[in-house]
């Protein structure tokens, strides 16, 4: 029997939403004890856009998918 | 009909009302967290009643942040407020430790019970807390515990708002006048995830490290191995300038990963997990 947990059905929609919003290079995964966090990882060059005026819209789109919180990793995509 | 400005009490009238309430009490034990509200209340109480009739008490547990404890002690000593710390054991209560949405009710029940016993032992007539008029609009299960134990809220009874409390604090030279809101460390843990001494120490270590970088208006929200950082928009440039240090600090505190919430710091963010119906059932605002 496989020990691999099933993929979160929200993730493909989250990736599609991010691509629509022009931040398609951003990775997204699920975190938290209730899988309540959409955890984003992006190159440092994308931080200004992700945390700037587009932040409410990005957060809103992902919350519509059922995530309670949307957060951007402090370690940028190209950092350990 | 909307009340006119002539019928709404002025800030001066509210201050006078607070003094009247304190004189009605005669002698008080103040639930003293070191926050803006309870510091002002304790200071005004000492001025109105004299130090022999006032005792400011800080409930000490793993939920109390060390910087709040330091502020409570230093301000009390500097302004001649009689003060002591009293150990509280809310963590030993499984109803509290389970971290339900009304966790504060169990914490405040423990606090007000202990302060009530202390007041009786010291011959002080009334236990008072620093709730203010703005708190009436907030979700505060701890207020029910206060009401059940006859704790009075003089600032709230006098109608004083947070802004008015800060202004009065500034006039009195209290260093807490512009201090950000400072709820206990347990408020960083999502409902349903247990409150433990280990988690509280981890959160405190993380927030201390970020304070050392110069941040003040932020929260480290605990999601197991993930630290979700909420930062006030005005501090975002500082955080981004010291991003790698902040990341290293959060990992050093024991988190496997650290992330910045896109919506920024907002008070009561963990209450967003509560459905409106749950808030109403627990006595909070609809």
């Amino acid at each position: 029997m496989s020990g691999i947990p099933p993929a979160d059905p929200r993730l493909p929609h989250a990736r599609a939403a991010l691509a629509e919003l022009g931040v398609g290079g951003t990775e997204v995964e699920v975190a938290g004890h209730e899988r309540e966090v959409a955890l984003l990882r992006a190159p440092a060059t994308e931080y200004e856009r992700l945390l700037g005026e587009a932040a409410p819209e990005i957060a809103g789109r992902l919350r519509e998918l059922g995530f309670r919180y949307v957060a951007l990793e402090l370690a940028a995509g190209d950092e350990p | 009909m909307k009340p006119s400005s002539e019928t709404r009490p002025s800030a001066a009238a509210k201050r006078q009302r607070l003094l009247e309430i304190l004189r009605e009490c005669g002698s008080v034990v103040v639930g003293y967290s070191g926050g803006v509200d309870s510091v002002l209340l304790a200071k005004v109480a000492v001025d109105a009643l004299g130090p022999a009739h006032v005792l400011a008490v800080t409930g000490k547990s793993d939920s109390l942040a060390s910087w709040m404890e330091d502020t409570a002690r230093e301000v009390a000593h500097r302004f001649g407020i009689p003060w002591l710390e009293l150990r509280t054991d809310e963590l030993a209560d499984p109803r509290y430790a389970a971290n339900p949405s009304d966790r504060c009710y169990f914490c405040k029940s423990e606090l007000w019970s202990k302060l009530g016993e202390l007041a009786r032992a010291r011959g002080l007539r009334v236990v008072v807390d620093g709730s203010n008029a703005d708190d009436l609009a907030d979700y505060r299960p701890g207020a029910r515990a206060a009401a059940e134990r006859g704790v009075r809220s003089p600032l709230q009874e006098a109608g004083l708002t947070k802004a008015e409390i800060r202004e009065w604090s500034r006039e009195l030279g209290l260093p807490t006048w512009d201090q950000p809101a400072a709820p206990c460390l347990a408020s960083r843990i999502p409902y349903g995830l247990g409150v433990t001494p280990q988690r509280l120490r981890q959160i405190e270590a993380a927030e201390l490290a970020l304070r050392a970088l110069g941040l003040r208006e932020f929260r480290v929200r605990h999601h197991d191995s993930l630290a979700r950082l909420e930062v006030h928009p005005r501090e975002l440039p500082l955080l981004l300038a010291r991003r790698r240090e902040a990341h290293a600090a959060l990992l050093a505190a024991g988190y496997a990963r650290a992330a910045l919430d896109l919506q920024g710091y907002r008070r009561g963010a963990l209450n967003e997990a509560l459905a409106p119906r749950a808030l109403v059932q627990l006595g909070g605002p609809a």
Side-chain angles (χ1 to χ4, degrees):
Chain A
M1 184 185 297
S2 169
I4 302 171
D8 193 298
R10 296 173 292 182
L11 285 176
H13 301 287
R15 293 185 186 108
L18 290 169
E20 274 178 49
L21 293 167
V23 284
T26 301
E27 297 166 16
V28 56
E29 59 182 278
V30 180
H33 75 294
E34 290 185 336
R35 305 177 65 75
E36 70 273 28
V37 183
L39 187 57
L40 310 181
R41 188 167 175 123
T45 50
E46 291 293 308
Y47 273 47
E48 193 175 330
R49 189 140 57 113
L50 285 162
L51 297 170
E53 290 181 358
E57 187 177 7
I58 294 168
R61 288 287 298 273
L62 295 180
R63 289 183 69 168
E64 282 172 10
L65 294 173
F67 293 104
R68 205 173 295 148
Y69 309 104
V70 180
L72 173 64
E73 286 220 53
L74 284 177
D78 46 356
E79 295 167 3
Chain B
M1 185 191 301
K2 218 171 167 180
S4 68
S5 58
E6 289 81 15
T7 58
R8 241 177 271 139
S10 65
K14 292 179 187 179
R15 292 184 186 191
Q16 188 57 39
R17 181 65 191 130
L18 176 64
L19 297 175
E20 290 166 5
I21 292 166
L22 288 168
R23 288 181 191 126
E24 282 168 21
C25 293
S27 57
V28 295
V29 166
V30 181
Y32 178 78
S33 65
V36 182
D37 305 317
S38 61
V39 166
L40 177 75
L41 180 60
K43 166 71 172 134
V44 173
V46 169
D47 289 347
L49 304 177
H53 299 105
V54 178
L55 181 61
V57 182
T58 301
K60 184 174 168 68
S61 72
D62 289 329
S63 282
L64 177 65
S66 57
W67 53 92
M68 292 303 296
E69 184 181 0
D70 292 341
T71 299
R73 179 190 309 109
E74 287 161 12
V75 173
H77 288 166
R78 191 170 140 197
F79 288 86
I81 299 169
W83 174 78
L84 61 81
E85 275 186 323
L86 188 65
R87 186 81 203 169
T88 58
D89 297 309
E90 65 274 10
L91 274 159
D93 184 345
R95 297 170 300 175
Y96 171 86
N99 198 14
S101 56
D102 61 345
R103 173 196 72 233
C104 295
Y105 172 79
F106 302 105
C107 175
K108 293 300 190 195
S109 293
E110 162 71 358
L111 176 69
W112 299 131
S113 292
K114 287 227 158 97
L115 263 56
E117 288 168 10
L118 179 66
R120 285 188 289 277
R122 297 282 183 111
L124 297 165
R125 291 180 55 206
V126 183
V127 178
V128 295
D129 77 3
S131 297
N132 64 57
D134 294 336
D135 292 334
L136 288 166
D138 273 354
Y139 172 60
R140 290 196 165 227
R144 185 160 52 95
E148 288 174 358
R149 283 158 185 78
V151 175
R152 289 187 72 171
S153 305
L155 298 169
Q156 192 171 90
E157 291 178 42
L160 283 160
T161 66
K162 194 73 171 201
E164 289 165 341
I165 290 165
R166 288 190 184 280
E167 175 57 24
W168 198 357
S169 298
R170 191 185 63 79
E171 291 174 17
L172 292 174
L174 293 168
T176 47
W177 76 272
D178 61 347
Q179 183 173 282
C184 76
L185 296 173
S187 67
R188 317 308 196 254
I189 305 173
Y191 299 129
L193 186 60
V195 179
T196 67
Q198 296 78 11
R199 286 181 177 140
L200 293 171
R201 281 195 288 272
Q202 184 176 12
I203 291 163
E204 181 171 54
E207 293 203 356
L208 268 172
L210 294 179
R211 289 174 68 87
L213 296 179
L215 289 168
R216 284 295 177 273
E217 292 188 81
F218 70 93
R219 296 285 185 267
V220 173
R221 304 292 187 188
H222 185 100
H223 295 268
D224 266 345
S225 58
L226 168 70
R228 179 176 58 85
L229 183 57
E230 293 178 9
V231 175
H232 195 287
R234 59 174 157 254
E235 295 204 327
L236 195 54
L238 171 59
L239 187 279
L240 291 177
R242 306 194 74 172
R243 178 177 60 82
R244 292 179 194 235
E245 294 166 271
H247 182 238
L250 291 168
L251 266 56
Y255 291 101
R257 299 172 85 168
L260 182 61
D261 193 292
L262 263 61
Q263 293 181 264
Y265 167 51
R266 51 210 185 277
R267 286 185 63 200
L270 294 179
N271 287 340
E272 292 166 11
L274 298 179
R277 185 168 62 88
L279 283 172
V280 170
Q281 286 176 342
L282 292 166

